[in-house]
């Protein structure tokens, strides 16, 4: 019973979702005046996700609570994490809401710059990754390196200085545009079609109850 | 030649330090390298806004957060400035909750600048920020049926749609009420929401550079009509508007960063070759 | 998906009344039903012991065992993550096949497995899968619940947390399996800096170059899904992979026919796909 009920529920919900995507009467069906079944179901999904947030909260508290209790290495960071997590939540919940000055200030002055800082690490990591990866070992790696150089130069002003887009073949920019718009676009689309087929087969396996790992099993 | 073979294993810390210098130096002392306007990606977005009539409504989407603000922020501000200058009304939604507040801050900044220049950018009349609404892509489907209900009839600031004059012209998100979509996307949810649920709409995209190769096939297929590609896209739009700003300023830094990566690849290969040669001997 | 097959074009005006009047709704329904029937037929063939094609060997799959083995020899943990995919996402379902495989290997070799998460519902299922693997290996006490960790639902909060964990715990194997975004390179480089064997499997085309540059093995596109099916080693799962490959051949044929007809001035195939 513990396994059958979720399997049946999965199948029914898949059919329901399928119906909402395909059938107009289902999409616009009203359970009472102005209240659509589709909107109720979509709100219930939203509600479920919000409740799921508490599981994350409990896990973080448990993991870092244990780290503090056992004085594991770097436990002081766990203290800081719990202070920030609960502090920011309390600030948003009980002190003026999400539009309050302190709440928005923390977002603008702390979270956004931190987010940008992490994203900017990519600039550094792409350099070290490119340094390691672009070694001329065979013909394929030569092709990859030459194309990478053309695309890089075609993307920036420096490429325009070196080989202008007004010149033969449209310069680095013209070549870059061709690489992006022709071989790249074709291969991206081919991979995209493959990914869709793979994912659709995966959906069918779950909908038909052939794959049950979402119930926590390993087979 | 021994020192040359050491180029095969440069300490990553040197890689990072020189990269930091290459990026910071041009910001402090701009080199003023030329920027070429891309006819196939940037110009269609510009021409689309140019072709709209004052009073037309377009929908914009914030599907990015602080991380990609450096690339998408200037694009958003330049595009919003263009719309307001043309008298085009803008309704913004946000697919990312983490970028909701950021999007509002950027738009509010530009609106204030525009008001200072005597261009109308009044909230509720010229633009509305519906903000992030939880519910994922299914909610976007619901917005097409009844935008007001899907957004619980409130904008991000908690104002009722009843009190916002612009919203009275936008009860339903369809092709009659909106003249196109401009999505600023950094990942997922992002562009597929529109190519799936709004396939026959005029869709334009502002994308982070890393996603551009992935979006090129949709541009080639005509599923999106124009594409602002990363920081260069923002810089080109600023130049088209004749208001060079943050993106133009940062383009030199991007050039120098690329130059260092290319130098690293060349140095790495010299080291690799020399090492292989000395091993063979 | 059908919008991947055609250029943007005017859709036929006439739609069947009961269907949502979007492009490709009816064609999509037809494709879904056809593939559903194909999957059913192939599974029946597999169950009846009739011959169905084998899935080709995917290089990255063997690397999982090799990497766990190396971690065991070095006495260091194994790390596996899927970033932010929720329980309803097919990438998560594929990830669970890999997680179960790695968890079983770790449980039988008595190697510590660390799983980091950005999605709370997925995390609870992950915990169950790993717990079950240890239970089946006869080592329920070896399972450490604190090693299944929620980092943050914020992309770079999660990234920072995972990169920090990799630097501190120095896993000998780093498995990045699922759909990734900008965090991919940061996670892979963090792993490279501690010398971990890295295996990536992703359906995200934008991240493939980063993984190829930073990881030892990369499974791209639908290899990721096929690999998940291959790990199951069940004929019924194989059946669905065979069905998807037959559909692929049919779609390639459709593209060729459509291109020829369109060149000849007929929009028949485009109209069909857009219907």
């Amino acid at each position: 019973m513990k396994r059958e009920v979720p399997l049946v529920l999965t199948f029914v919900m898949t059919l329901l979702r399928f119906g909402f995507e395909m059938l107009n009467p289902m999409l616009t069906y009203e359970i009472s005046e102005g209240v659509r079944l589709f909107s109720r179901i979509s709100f219930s999904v939203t509600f479920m996700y919000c409740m799921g947030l508490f599981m994350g909260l409990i896990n973080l508290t448990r993991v870092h609570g244990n780290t503090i209790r056992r004085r594991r290495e770097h436990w002081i960071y766990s203290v800081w994490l719990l202070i920030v997590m609960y502090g920011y939540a309390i600030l948003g919940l009980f002190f003026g809401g999400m539009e309050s000055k302190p709440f928005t200030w923390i977002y603008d002055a702390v979270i956004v710059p931190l987010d940008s800082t992490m994203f900017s690490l990519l600039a550094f990591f792409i350099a070290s990754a490119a340094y390691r990866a672009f070694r001329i070992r065979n013909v394929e790696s030569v092709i990859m390196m030459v194309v990478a150089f053309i695309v890089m130069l075609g993307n920036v002003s420096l490429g325009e200085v070196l080989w202008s887009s007004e010149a033969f073949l449209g310069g680095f920019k013209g070549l870059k545009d061709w690489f992006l718009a022709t071989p790249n676009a074709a291969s991206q689309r081919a991979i995209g079609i493959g990914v869709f087929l793979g994912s659709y087969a995966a959906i069918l396996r779950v909908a038909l109850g052939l794959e049950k790992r979402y119930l926590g099993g390993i087979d | 030649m021994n020192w040359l073979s050491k180029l095969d294993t440069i300490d990553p810390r040197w890689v990072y330090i020189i990269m930091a210098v290459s990026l910071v130096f041009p910001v402090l002392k701009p080199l003023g390298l030329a920027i070429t306007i891309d006819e196939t990606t940037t110009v269609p977005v510009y021409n689309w806004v140019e072709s709209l009539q004052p009073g037309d409504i377009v929908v914009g989407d914030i599907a990015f957060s602080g991380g990609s603000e450096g690339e998408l922020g200037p694009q958003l501000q330049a595009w919003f400035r263009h719309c307001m200058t043309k008298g085009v009304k803008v309704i913004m939604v946000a697919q990312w909750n983490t970028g909701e507040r950021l999007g509002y801050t950027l738009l509010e900044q530009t609106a204030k600048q525009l008001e200072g220049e005597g261009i109308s950018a009044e909230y509720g009349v010229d633009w509305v920020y519906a903000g992030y609404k939880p519910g994922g892509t299914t909610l976007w489907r619901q917005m097409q049926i009844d935008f007001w209900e899907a957004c619980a009839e409130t904008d991000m600031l908690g104002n009722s749609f009843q009190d916002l004059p612009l919203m009275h012209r936008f009860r339903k998100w369809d092709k009659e009420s909106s003249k196109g979509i401009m999505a600023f996307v950094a990942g997922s949810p992002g562009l597929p929401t529109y190519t799936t649920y709004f396939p026959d709409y005029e869709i334009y995209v502002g994308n982070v550079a890393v996603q551009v190769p992935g979006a090129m096939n949709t541009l080639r297929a005509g599923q999106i009509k124009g594409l602002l590609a990363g920081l260069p896209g923002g810089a080109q739009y600023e130049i088209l508007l004749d208001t060079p700003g943050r993106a133009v300023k940062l383009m030199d830094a991007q050039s120098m960063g690329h130059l260092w990566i290319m130098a690293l690849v060349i140095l790495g290969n010299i080291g690799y070759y020399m090492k292989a040669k000395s091993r063979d001997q | 998906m059908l919008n991947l097959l055609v250029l943007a074009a005017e859709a036929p005006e006439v739609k069947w009344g009961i269907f949502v009047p979007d492009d490709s709704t009816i064609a999509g329904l037809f494709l879904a039903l056809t593939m559903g029937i194909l999957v059913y037929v192939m599974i029946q063939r597999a169950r009846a012991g009739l011959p169905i094609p084998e899935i080709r060997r995917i290089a990255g799959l063997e690397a999982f065992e090799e990497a766990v083995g190396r971690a065991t020899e070095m006495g260091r943990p194994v790390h596996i993550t899927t970033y932010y995919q929720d329980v309803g996402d097919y990438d998560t379902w594929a990830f669970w096949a890999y997680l179960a495989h790695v968890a079983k290997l770790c449980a039988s070799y008595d190697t510590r497995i660390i799983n980091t998460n950005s999605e709370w519902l997925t995390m609870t299922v992950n915990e169950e899968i790993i717990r079950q693997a240890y239970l089946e290996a006869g080592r329920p006490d070896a399972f450490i619940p604190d090693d299944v960790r929620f980092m943050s639902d914020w992309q770079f909060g999660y990234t920072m947390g995972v990169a920090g964990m990799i630097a501190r715990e120095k896993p000998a194997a780093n498995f990045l399996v699922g759909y990734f975004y900008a965090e991919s390179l940061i996670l892979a480089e963090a792993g490279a800096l501690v010398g971990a064997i890295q295996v990536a499997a992703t359906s995200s085309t934008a991240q493939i170059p980063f993984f190829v540059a930073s990881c030892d093995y990369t499974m791209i596109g639908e290899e990721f899904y096929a690999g998940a099916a291959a790990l199951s080693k069940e004929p019924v799962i194989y059946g669905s992979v065979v069905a998807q490959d037959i559909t692929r051949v049919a779609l390639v044929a459709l593209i060729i026919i459509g291109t020829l007809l369109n060149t000849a001035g007929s929009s028949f195939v485009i109209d069909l796909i857009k219907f």
Side-chain angles (χ1 to χ4, degrees), chain B residues 50-109:
Chain B
E50 279 293 303
S51 70
L52 296 168
Q53 299 302 311
D56 282 350
I57 296 176
V58 292
V59 182
D61 181 12
I62 307 286
F64 65 92
S65 63
S68 29
E69 193 277 328
E71 284 182 279
L72 297 180
Q75 288 183 8
L76 169 71
Q77 288 183 308
W79 171 79
F80 182 65
R81 167 176 278 278
H82 194 193
C83 289
M84 290 298 110
T85 315
K86 292 285 299 174
V88 173
K89 311 294 178 194
V90 174
I91 292 172
M92 296 298 298
V93 290
Q95 279 196 86
W96 286 26
N97 58 345
T98 46
E100 183 195 36
R101 153 73 37 195
L102 172 67
Y104 180 74
T105 309
L106 292 167
L107 294 169
E108 198 192 22
Q109 254 174 26

Side-chain angles (χ1 to χ4, degrees), chain A residues 211 213 218, chain C residues 92-102 129 227-229 231-232:
Chain A
E211 206 167 293
R213 286 197 190 87
I218 54 172
Chain C
T92 312
W93 306 337
F95 164 73
W96 284 331
Y98 293 92
L99 178 67
H101 179 60
V102 173
I129 289 174
L231 284 174
S232 300

Side-chain angles (χ1 to χ4, degrees), chain B residues 10-265:
Chain B
I10 300 175
D11 189 327
R13 283 171 293 190
W14 285 110
V15 173
Y16 301 150
I17 288 169
I18 299 175
M19 176 56 91
V21 173
S22 324
L23 294 176
V24 172
F25 180 73
V27 176
L28 300 174
K29 201 168 167 45
L31 308 170
L33 295 169
I35 295 167
T36 321
I37 308 294
D38 202 312
E39 295 291 330
T40 51
T41 55
T42 311
V43 172
V45 183
Y46 179 83
N47 286 346
W48 165 57
V49 180
E50 279 293 303
S51 70
L52 296 168
Q53 299 302 311
D56 282 350
I57 296 176
V58 292
V59 182
D61 181 12
I62 307 286
F64 65 92
S65 63
S68 29
E69 193 277 328
E71 284 182 279
L72 297 180
Q75 288 183 8
L76 169 71
Q77 288 183 308
W79 171 79
F80 182 65
R81 167 176 278 278
H82 194 193
C83 289
M84 290 298 110
T85 315
K86 292 285 299 174
V88 173
K89 311 294 178 194
V90 174
I91 292 172
M92 296 298 298
V93 290
Q95 279 196 86
W96 286 26
N97 58 345
T98 46
E100 183 195 36
R101 153 73 37 195
L102 172 67
Y104 180 74
T105 309
L106 292 167
L107 294 169
E108 198 192 22
Q109 254 174 26
T110 314
K112 275 185 185 155
Q113 276 172 14
L114 288 163
E115 292 281 348
E117 294 166 23
I119 299 162
S120 175
E122 190 186 339
Y123 188 78
V125 177
D126 297 303
W127 65 288
V128 167
Y129 195 81
Y132 170 74
K133 307 288 171 192
T137 45
T138 43
L139 198 81
W140 258 245
R141 168 65 93 199
Q142 207 184 322
M143 283 178 182
Q144 288 178 300
I145 306 166
D146 189 338
F147 191 82
W148 281 42
E149 191 200 21
C151 296
E153 300 192 10
T154 49
D155 69 357
M156 189 199 92
L157 305 167
N159 299 314
S160 167
F161 281 175
Q162 290 288 353
D163 303 330
L164 305 169
L166 179 58
M167 292 313 294
H168 290 273
R169 293 175 51 206
F170 199 76
R171 287 201 165 257
K172 207 173 154 184
W173 185 353
D174 57 19
K175 278 200 287 187
E176 280 71 46
S177 58
S178 81
K179 300 291 174 198
I181 297 165
M182 179 76 202
F184 296 92
V185 298
S188 176
L191 178 57
T193 306
Y194 297 102
T195 49
T196 307
Y197 290 116
F198 300 77
D200 46 354
Y201 284 58
E202 291 265 306
I203 304 169
Y204 296 84
V205 178
N207 222 332
V208 285
V210 68
Q211 305 265 16
V212 170
M216 277 314 280
N217 66 80
T218 50
L219 182 71
R220 284 281 284 174
Q223 285 158 328
I224 60 171
K225 310 289 180 209
L227 169 72
L228 298 182
L231 194 66
Q236 290 164 21
Y237 211 99
E238 285 176 356
I239 288 171
L240 284 169
L241 289 179
D242 205 16
T243 50
R246 195 152 50 109
V248 170
K249 202 173 159 186
L250 293 174
M251 276 304 287
D252 288 343
Q254 208 183 39
S255 286
M256 296 315 288
H258 279 69
L259 192 66
W260 173 228
I261 291 176
M262 285 184 278
L264 266 177
V265 172

Side-chain angles (χ1 to χ4, degrees), chain A residues 145-190:
Chain A
M145 199 172 87
V146 170
V147 173
F149 269 48
I150 291 169
V151 173
M152 278 195 274
L153 285 168
N155 262 334
V156 294
S157 315
L158 188 70
E160 190 62 25
V161 175
L162 296 175
W163 186 9
S164 164
S165 53
E166 307 289 320
F168 179 62
L169 289 176
F172 283 119
K173 197 183 159 300
L175 284 179
K176 176 216 79 172
D177 286 347
W178 182 81
F179 278 124
L180 280 180
T182 310
N184 162 68
S187 56
Q188 292 277 353
R189 195 146 272 228

Side-chain angles (χ1 to χ4, degrees), chain C residues 48-91:
Chain C
L50 295 167
I52 57 166
E54 276 287 303
I55 299 178
R56 75 170 161 83
R57 199 181 134 270
I58 300 169
L61 273 186
E62 275 102 49
F64 281 89
E65 189 157 2
E66 183 193 328
V68 176
R70 188 171 158 227
T72 310
E73 282 167 15
M74 295 173 82
R76 276 161 53 180
V78 163
H79 170 246
I80 182 165
T81 186
T82 188
Y83 178 48
Y84 192 92
Q85 299 307 318
D86 64 48
V87 284
D89 202 300
Y90 39 79
D91 288 288

